[in-house]
DNA sequence: ACCGCCGGGTGCC
DNA sequence: ACCGCCGGGTGCC
């Protein structure tokens, strides 16, 4: 676990209604049972500073410069002094030790986690034997006295500041001339929360300057690129072939100098030949990347058009897909030896990559693509190294990685590594993040439509992957960027901006190229259709609502609303289900045993239709299991966690967990099968949908529609009248295997007569990237907690390639929990738009309780 | 002189 | 280290 505390303020807005995006029901519950900050001690308070001495310089090779930051590392095993505190420079080389008299109280403070200590060498860096170091102690306010006393007991005294200057002012871009105490007053006035929010929102905007040069792709790319894609290609190629120093490095009289850390080295810092392509969804990140692979093929040359025209053979069955079976194109084995590009992506877009390779690379060209996926994947380093492209998923990558001895992916020296939907590695503790960091390549790319989800911490993982020194080490990232920015330091923010700008290309659908919109998309119109329940339905609904109110009301009285949160959610889900169709609702039963309760809970989570994600792999749940602390994960993921830690704890709530205490999902057959047989009945919402669909078919039989719901069982129910009225339809939900998914999408996108005109789509099935442009109508059957999830869903058809205006119809049941959800959504949106204040966990809980009241009208 | 003072040896933790 | 500290050599003026 890394220590950390400072979340970006915006993360405070992720509360339980913001289920979409990344939150899942199990995570919500975890967040409530937890004391919000899931990290180690809060350290944002400056406890005090003191000047110490670094001794023993002549025994070590590590050097430091005037104003350079150093890190303090405890050495409890040191044979001469168990209080030893080692001093290391930014590159981790040992510089010396803290003099033992001061090391004694420091060791106590560090070992007992009373404070974290940070060092900056103010001057005297050329001393042979010792040098001063300014030490600053950061920690919780409540530890202030303990730290001061400990220092005093050893005959020292902690001051408050160095010469009236805040210590973190040393992080400035000014070549380190302005050092401690002499530094500018500029950063003395912290940014307001509002300024910070604005700056943050704009972090990825306007990154276009100097990135407007265009480049034609290699001839082998048979699709013509749009201007913005040519720009991206040019930018990516120049980054890969660049000899520029990485951001914040400057050459100065033969030395390489990092202006943020004041660290200088003789050797040129490692190049960062890659970056983040953060274009909005639908702008063609995949195509651009394929163009890059083909155009900056080996040794900076494009993939050649071969003389001998040979037809490609596709063998996409079962797991191997090799385009072309001929010899490796010449020139491939020269140079550094790396020839293969590794693409890691979520399962949901795997087939999209294959399709696009097929579509955009000329058929008479040999490009060896290997799909490293499935049980029969060939674990051969040699085979993989000889490919042009190897495609795999995060899950395969991490499962191989967990299997240390047998991960060929980690033994290949890749020409480049591309992480698609790279934001999924935002959690540094997740296995897949660790697996990704161990891949070897000079060129590293992250493709992502959402580079920062809610905090700077996400960005740290990206830097870590890009190996952008020194930000790939947590301590330096925190000291130089994260903490200064979170504290509102202007220089810190400036640095962050320069950093992001230097390695990111981002355009949105609204960006302009030479005054023109990047992409002219057809219109997108939203209608809300209010549905009135029939008398019978209303009666049933009111009864359920009354019962729910009674239960929740009692929790409120007892003050146990938060401890019974799962039950509250269950009640809300039940009400939402009633709005759709009474047949959706399970018989709650009265389980008493823990096991039964857990089975109930996991069933609820899995059947909520929200396409739950596993908090470890962040992908759809595979072999779902629930822990005793009621959190749901993939069995392989959580087993890996348990295996890798001595005292395994739940990643979501830190409760102790054991493999044998995992409870499996019993499967669908346990469920009372939804009444899809003879005794099927309709509902007001289904009727409303059907009348829309029939009317649409009458007007234009070629129009295709998406019918979206969060409840897969609702989709089961809708299938009945669709069949009855002779609609041809497909279906896409989270439970489907990769193959069937791809087939469903392919069938739907096909425009030939008789092709399906309707797709039943589960709200979050497959994540982003799916192309459903054949549809021009979207029916949102039930409101999502998070409107962004709905927008994302619509994006799948409202994107590049859509030729018709897109009409979205949202069904909302009048006088119901659905209407209340919409109201709360609106209110929250206003709040987010207005300001983005830091909410305390207490307020958050309060807000959640108020929302429950509003939803239940209590 | 059980001192002071000198000057050489020596040096992180 | 052009320091401090250690410990041996030394000892009136």
């Amino acid at each position: 676990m890394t220590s950390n505390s400072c979340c970006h303020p915006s993360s405070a807005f992720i509360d339980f209604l913001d289920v979409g995006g990344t939150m899942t029901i199990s995570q919500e519950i975890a967040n409530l049972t937890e004391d919000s900050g899931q990290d180690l001690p809060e350290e944002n308070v400056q406890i005090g500073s003191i000047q110490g001495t670094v001794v023993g310089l002549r025994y070590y090779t590590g050097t430091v410069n005037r104003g350079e930051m150093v890190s303090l590392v405890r050495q409890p095993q040191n044979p001469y002094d168990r209080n030893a505190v080692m001093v290391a420079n930014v590159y981790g080389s040992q510089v010396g030790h803290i003099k033992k008299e001061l090391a004694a109280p420091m060791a106590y403070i560090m070992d007992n986690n009373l404070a974290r200590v940070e060092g900056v060498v103010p001057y005297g860096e050329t001393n042979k034997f010792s040098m001063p170091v300014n030490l600053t102690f950061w920690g919780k306010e409540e530890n202030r006295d303990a730290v001061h006393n400990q220092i005093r007991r050893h005959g020292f005294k902690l001051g408050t500041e160095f010469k009236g200057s805040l210590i973190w002012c040393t992080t400035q871009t000014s070549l380190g001339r302005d050092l401690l105490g002499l530094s500018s007053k500029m950063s003395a006035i912290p940014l307001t929360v509002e300024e910070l929010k604005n700056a943050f929102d704009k972090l990825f905007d306007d990154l276009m300057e100097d990135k407007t040069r265009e480049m034609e792709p290699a001839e082998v790319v048979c699709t013509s690129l749009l201007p913005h894609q040519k720009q991206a290609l040019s930018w990516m190629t120049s980054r890969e072939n660049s000899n520029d120093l990485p951001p914040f490095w400057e050459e100065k009289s033969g030395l390489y100098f990092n202006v943020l850390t004041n660290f200088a080295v003789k050797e040129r810092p490692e190049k960062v030949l890659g970056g983040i392509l953060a274009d909005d969804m639908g702008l063609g990140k995949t195509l651009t990347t394929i163009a890059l692979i083909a155009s900056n093929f080996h040794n900076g040359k494009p993939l050649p058009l071969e003389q001998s025209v040979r037809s490609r053979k596709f063998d996409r069955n079962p797991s191997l897909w090799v385009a072309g079976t001929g010899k490796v194109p010449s020139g491939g084995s020269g140079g550094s030896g790396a020839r293969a590009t590794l693409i890691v992506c979520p399962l949901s877009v795997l087939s999209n990559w294959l399709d696009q390779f097929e579509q955009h690379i000329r058929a008479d060209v040999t490009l060896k693509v290997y799909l490293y996926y499935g049980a029969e994947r060939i674990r051969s380093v040699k085979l993989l190294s000889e490919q042009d492209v190897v495609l795999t998923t995060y899950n395969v990558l991490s499962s191989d990685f967990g299997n240390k001895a047998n991960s060929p992916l980690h033994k290949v020296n890749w020409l480049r590594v591309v992480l698609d939907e790279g934001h999924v590695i935002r959690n540094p503790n997740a296995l897949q993040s660790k697996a990704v960091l161990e891949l070897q390549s000079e060129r590293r790319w992250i493709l992502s439509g959402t580079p920062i989800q809610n905090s700077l911490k996400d960005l740290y993982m990206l830097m870590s992957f890009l190996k952008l020194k020194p930000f790939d080490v947590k301590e330096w990232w925190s000291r130089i960027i994260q903490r200064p920015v979170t504290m509102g330091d202007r220089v810190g923010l400036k640095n962050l901006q320069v950093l992001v700008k230097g390695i990111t290309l981002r355009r949105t659908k609204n960006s302009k190229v030479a005054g023109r919109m990047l992409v002219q998309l057809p219109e997108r119109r939203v209608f809300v259709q209010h549905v009135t329940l029939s008398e019978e339905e209303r009666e049933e609904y009111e009864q359920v609502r009354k019962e729910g109110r009674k239960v929740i009301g009692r929790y409120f009285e007892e003050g146990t609303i938060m401890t019974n949160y799962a039950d509250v959610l269950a009640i809300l889900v039940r009400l939402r289900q009633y709005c759709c169709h009474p047949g959706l609702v399970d018989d709650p039963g009265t389980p008493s045993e823990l096991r039964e309760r857990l089975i109930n809970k996991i069933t609820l989570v899995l059947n909520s239709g929200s396409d739950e994600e596993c908090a470890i792999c962040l992908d759809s749940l595979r072999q779902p299991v629930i822990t005793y602390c009621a959190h749901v994960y993939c069995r392989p993921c959580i087993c890996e966690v348990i295996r890798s830690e001595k005292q395994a704890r739940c990643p979501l709530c830190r409760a102790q967990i054991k493999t044998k205490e995992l409870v499996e999902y019993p499967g669908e057959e346990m469920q009372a099968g939804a009444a899809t047989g003879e005794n099927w009945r309709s509902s007001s919402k289904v009727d409303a949908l059907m009348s829309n669909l029939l009317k649409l078919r009458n007007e234009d039989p070629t129009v295709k529609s998406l019918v979206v719901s969060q409840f897969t069982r609702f989709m089961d129910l809708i299938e009945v009248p669709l069949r009855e009225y002779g609609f041809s339809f497909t279906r896409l939900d989270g439970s489907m295997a990769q193959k069937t998914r791809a087939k469903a999408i392919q069938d739907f996108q096909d425009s030939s007569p008789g092709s399906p005109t309707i797709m039943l789509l589960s709200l979050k099935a497959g994540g982003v990237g799916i192309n459903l442009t054949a549809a021009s109508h979207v029916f949102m059957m039930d409101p999502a907690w998070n409107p962004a999830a709905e927008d994302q869903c619509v994006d799948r058809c409202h994107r590049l390639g859509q030729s018709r205006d897109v009409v979205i119809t949202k069904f909302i049941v009048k006088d119901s929990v659905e209407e209340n959800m919409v109201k709360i959504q609106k209110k929250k949106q206003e709040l987010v738009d207005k300001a983005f204040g830091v909410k305390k966990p207490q307020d958050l809980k309060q807000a959640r309780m108020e929302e429950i009241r509003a939803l239940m009208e209590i």
Side-chain angles (χ1 to χ4, degrees), chain A residues 595 623 625-628 633-650 655-664:
Chain A
R595 192 185 160 75
Q623 303 177 46
V625 290
I626 189 164
T627 60
Y628 274 14
Y633 303 99
C634 306
R635 178 178 277 282
C637 293
I638 192 67
C639 285
E640 176 54 35
V641 169
I642 295 174
R643 212 152 51 80
S644 65
E645 282 174 45
K646 246 195 304 197
Q647 275 254 324
R649 289 169 178 282
C650 173
Q656 283 204 13
I657 47 172
K658 291 179 185 141
T659 311
K660 60 172 189 283
E661 289 179 356
L662 299 173
V663 176
E664 301 223 15

Side-chain angles (χ1 to χ4, degrees), chain A residues 548-746:
Chain A
R549 272 181 63 168
K550 220 167 63 191
V551 175
I552 294 178
R554 198 176 61 234
Y555 291 150
F556 269 119
E557 278 169 34
E558 295 168 351
T560 56
I561 194 86
M562 286 301 151
T563 44
N564 290 301
Y565 199 64
D567 285 348
V568 174
L569 277 174
I571 291 168
L572 290 172
V573 167
R574 217 169 291 145
L575 280 173
R576 289 164 52 206
Q577 289 173 330
Y578 257 100
C579 290
C580 294
H581 194 290
L584 285 181
V585 184
D586 297 322
D587 180 14
T590 51
S592 55
E593 285 287 300
L594 171 69
R595 192 185 160 75
E596 244 176 300
R597 267 212 335 264
L598 290 173
I599 288 179
N600 237 30
K601 212 165 273 182
I602 188 169
T603 306
L604 164 75
V605 166
L606 292 171
N607 289 358
S608 68
S610 58
D611 185 34
E612 282 299 294
E613 290 161 344
C614 163
I616 298 167
C617 67
L618 300 169
D619 222 318
S620 298
L621 285 164
R622 293 178 310 135
Q623 303 177 46
V625 290
I626 189 164
T627 60
Y628 274 14
C629 49
H631 297 109
V632 180
Y633 303 99
C634 306
R635 178 178 277 282
C637 293
I638 192 67
C639 285
E640 176 54 35
V641 169
I642 295 174
R643 212 152 51 80
S644 65
E645 282 174 45
K646 246 195 304 197
Q647 275 254 324
R649 289 169 178 282
C650 173
L652 284 168
C653 72
R654 316 301 303 155
Q656 283 204 13
I657 47 172
K658 291 179 185 141
T659 311
K660 60 172 189 283
E661 289 179 356
L662 299 173
V663 176
E664 301 223 15
Y665 176 52
E668 295 281 345
E669 65 276 11
M670 290 284 289
Q671 294 299 119
T676 49
E678 313 82 60
N679 46 1
W680 184 85
R681 76 181 219 201
S682 191
S683 75
S684 299
K685 220 185 230 184
V686 174
D687 289 346
L689 170 72
M690 290 313 295
S691 83
N692 273 280
L693 289 176
L694 289 167
K695 187 164 155 254
L696 215 53
R697 182 167 67 179
N698 250 349
E699 288 165 0
D700 182 352
T702 67
V703 164
K704 296 198 181 201
S705 306
L706 301 177
V707 174
V708 182
S709 173
Q710 297 170 79
F711 305 106
T712 48
R713 285 170 58 228
F714 191 28
M715 289 157 53
D716 299 341
L717 288 163
I718 294 172
E719 286 189 15
V720 178
L722 287 182
R723 274 199 201 91
E724 191 182 320
Y725 286 99
F727 284 100
S728 167
F729 62 90
T730 61
R731 171 171 175 147
L732 188 66
D733 68 56
S735 70
M736 288 163 68
Q738 169 57 21
K739 245 191 202 160
T740 27
R741 279 183 196 226
K743 175 93 168 55
I745 296 168
Q746 209 181 326

Side-chain angles (χ1 to χ4, degrees), chain A residues 126-146:
Chain A
T126 49
N127 287 354
K128 274 204 172 103
F129 306 100
S130 72
M131 62 184 162
V133 57
N134 289 338
L135 302 168
T136 308
F137 293 72
W138 299 81
K140 290 188 188 172
E141 185 58 44
E142 66 210 63
N143 292 334
R144 179 182 292 274
D145 290 347

Side-chain angles (χ1 to χ4, degrees), chain A residues 200-209 211 228 231-232 235-236 275-283 285 423 445-452 500-513 518 795:
Chain A
F200 217 78
D201 287 349
K202 289 209 183 103
L203 194 55
F204 283 86
D205 291 352
D206 307 322
L207 299 175
M208 275 297 289
E209 58 185 76
K211 295 171 190 167
H228 74 273
Q231 288 172 3
W235 175 74
M236 291 176 94
I276 307 172
L277 180 59
D279 280 350
D280 248 5
M281 221 164 47
L283 295 186
K285 289 191 286 288
H423 53 267
W445 288 102
I446 293 162
L447 313 182
S448 172
T450 47
I452 290 193
V500 167
K501 196 173 186 166
I503 52 166
T504 309
L505 179 64
R506 171 170 174 81
R507 284 80 53 87
T508 64
K509 285 175 188 159
N510 302 319
S511 300
K512 289 180 180 167
V513 178
L518 215 57
D795 283 341

